[in-house]
Amino acid sequence: MSYSKKPLIGIIMGSSSDSRVMKGAAEILDDFKIKHEDQIVSAHRTPSRLSEYAKHAEDMGFKVIIAGAGGAAHLPGMIASHTVIPVIGVPILVYNDKNPKKADSSKFSAFGGLDSLLSISEMPSGSPVVAVGINKSSNAAIYAMKILANEFPELSKKLKNHKSEQHDSVLKESQQMLKEGLSKFASKKFK
Ligand code: RP5
């Protein structure tokens, strides 16, 4: 089942470095057969693309934009300031290994992703962006589908099934733990 012939969700990220985290959003949307369009838009390396992308998103009829960025993470907020399409920000713990010659310390954000989380969630009044947890791109995808589900009752049904699958899987694990005892259960699960 596909809800629309064209993508209704735009996924953007500030750098190819972010793709390893952002693919989590694509994977869950693919599971639910929701079309999405994916691009790299860097707020500081390609600033002119910000307004171009916002216009493109509106022309495409996107219902939600998922925007991931690390460090100063101004991409989600800047996109939100150019459009009324809801933007879900994914704060990314920067991990850059594009240049293997760099010292290890420069691969990670000095602030462990808190920098991106605060940059995204602390948008000044008037231009809101919602933020999921650090690196939680799959939650951004689920949240985006909840927005779409207002228009597509079948998607709403699928999301309810997803919830009950989560319920059943916890129940199954709990029964297993009850049967085996905690020590055996944990050592089998995390060998
Ligand atoms: C941000 O800078 C990007 O979103 C990325 O998380 C971070 C590092 O980018 P690269 O230097 O790895 O391209 O703009």
Side-chain angles (χ1 to χ4, degrees):
M1 176 180 59
S2 183
Y3 306 92
S4 166
K5 287 208 170 88
K6 58 192 189 79
L8 296 176
I9 298 179
I11 301 182
I12 49 173
M13 61 211 80
S15 161
S16 60
S17 306
D18 301 330
S19 61
R20 82 183 79 203
V21 168
M22 293 306 289
K23 79 172 170 37
E27 283 167 356
I28 192 145
L29 292 174
D30 293 343
D31 284 351
F32 276 80
K33 300 196 175 9
I34 299 289
K35 291 202 171 82
H36 48 95
E37 186 214 76
D38 318 320
Q39 293 207 44
I40 299 170
V41 180
S42 169
H44 59 280
R45 290 176 184 143
T46 63
S48 59
R49 258 168 68 71
L50 280 173
S51 52
E52 283 166 20
Y53 178 82
K55 182 163 183 331
H56 164 75
E58 289 187 352
D59 291 347
M60 291 287 287
F62 292 163
K63 305 282 183 193
V64 193
I65 295 170
I66 298 175
H74 30 301
L75 176 66
M78 285 307 296
I79 286 292
S81 68
H82 279 290
T83 177
V84 295
I85 300 170
V87 177
I88 305 171
V90 182
I92 292 180
L93 167 52
V94 176
Y95 180 82
N96 177 339
D97 60 0
K98 285 196 293 197
N99 181 355
K101 283 185 191 138
K102 273 190 188 169
D104 270 359
S105 59
S106 67
K107 284 183 177 176
F108 291 100
S109 144
F111 301 100
L114 189 59
D115 40 0
S116 335
L117 175 65
L118 294 178
S119 299
I120 294 171
S121 64
E122 288 301 315
M123 278 296 286
S125 303
S127 195
V129 170
V130 297
V132 292
I134 296 164
N135 286 355
K136 295 221 164 42
S137 62
S138 59
N139 265 357
I142 294 172
Y143 198 84
M145 288 192 284
K146 286 183 170 189
I147 295 173
L148 289 187
N150 289 317
E151 261 182 65
F152 301 102
E154 282 181 65
L155 180 55
S156 172
K157 229 197 261 167
K158 261 190 136 178
L159 285 166
K160 282 181 186 155
N161 284 344
H162 182 245
K163 267 195 185 302
S164 73
E165 277 164 24
Q166 286 180 334
H167 173 97
D168 293 350
S169 100
V170 173
L171 223 61
K172 200 172 152 203
E173 286 193 317
S174 180
Q175 278 158 359
Q176 194 72 22
M177 186 182 281
L178 197 61
K179 199 169 126 201
E180 298 177 344
L182 175 55
S183 307
K184 190 172 171 197
F185 176 87
S187 47
K188 266 173 70 184
K189 195 160 179 67
F190 304 102
K191 274 180 212 149

